[in-house]
Amino acid sequence: MRGALEFLTTRVLRSRTGVAVVIAVLVFGVIATARVVTGTTEAGTGLTGRPVQPITTVDPTVGDDGVLSPMAPPEPVTSPGELPPTEAAKRFTAAWLGREGISADDWHADMRPLSTSALTEKLTDADPVTVPAGQITGEPTLRPRDETFVEVLVPLDAGQLRLELVAPDGRWLVDAVDWER
């Protein structure tokens, strides 16, 4: 008996395999103990203690609380005589695409009446040579967000131009430009 105990402590427990076996026995022992203590031995229930049925915080008999409204956003409001947002977006896009040989000053001047002062300032150092597209390839898609804020997606030959337009006084101006390939 002493020889077997000595062999176990000197050879097996000091080897990597022996240490791995001891760790595995300890892990399985902890798992088995936890299952016995919590009373969960069925497959799928695990140790999380989560309920079998989903928990709902809304009484289905109360009715609609109106938080998630199926209503569409309000239609954009345009002052009489002003361009609707999709037309303003088309004109801005045409100016943004520029024309061959246009100078940076002329390019900025073409966009200025169609953009907010904040966007004009952001585009101060931009150069028409850096525009990554050449032409509009389809009709713009309008995404109204509010009566005075819309997003317009304009398909171009090399990607898509996403414009954010604002109209606090009924005149639609581009306030943000984002390029997506």
Side-chain angles (χ1 to χ4, degrees):
M1 174 80 177
R2 183 178 169 123
L5 185 60
E6 186 176 316
F7 173 77
L8 180 67
T9 58
T10 58
R11 295 276 177 128
V12 175
L13 291 180
R14 290 186 182 183
S15 70
R16 290 182 181 168
T17 307
V19 172
V21 169
V22 170
I23 291 173
V25 168
L26 288 173
V27 167
F28 287 122
V30 168
I31 291 172
T33 303
R35 286 191 174 197
V36 168
V37 169
T38 60
T40 56
T41 57
E42 297 175 16
T45 56
L47 299 174
T48 63
R50 68 173 191 245
V52 178
Q53 296 294 326
I55 297 173
T56 180
T57 58
V58 177
D59 184 357
T61 62
V62 172
D64 185 12
D65 63 358
V67 173
L68 296 176
S69 175
M71 295 176 14
E75 285 296 315
V77 175
T78 304
S79 292
E82 297 294 340
L83 296 174
T86 52
E87 188 60 34
K90 279 187 201 178
R91 289 193 185 178
F92 178 87
T93 302
W96 182 75
L97 291 172
R99 55 190 182 279
E100 194 167 329
I102 190 170
S103 70
D105 290 337
D106 290 342
W107 183 63
H108 288 285
D110 289 348
M111 289 187 296
R112 190 170 295 116
L114 301 164
S115 58
T116 62
S117 58
L119 180 61
T120 300
E121 187 176 317
K122 287 179 188 175
L123 295 175
T124 300
D125 295 328
D127 190 348
V129 177
T130 63
V131 174
Q135 65 183 9
I136 298 173
T137 59
E139 287 299 312
T141 303
L142 180 69
R143 293 182 178 170
R145 303 295 187 212
D146 196 342
E147 290 178 347
T148 61
F149 175 64
V150 298
E151 182 180 78
V152 179
L153 303 173
V154 183
L156 302 176
D157 57 353
Q160 178 173 261
L161 188 64
R162 187 179 64 79
L163 304 173
E164 291 180 0
L165 284 80
V166 294
D169 59 355
R171 180 169 181 251
W172 290 98
L173 298 172
V174 177
D175 190 47
V177 178
D178 192 19
W179 172 252
E180 301 167 356
R181 289 208 180 268

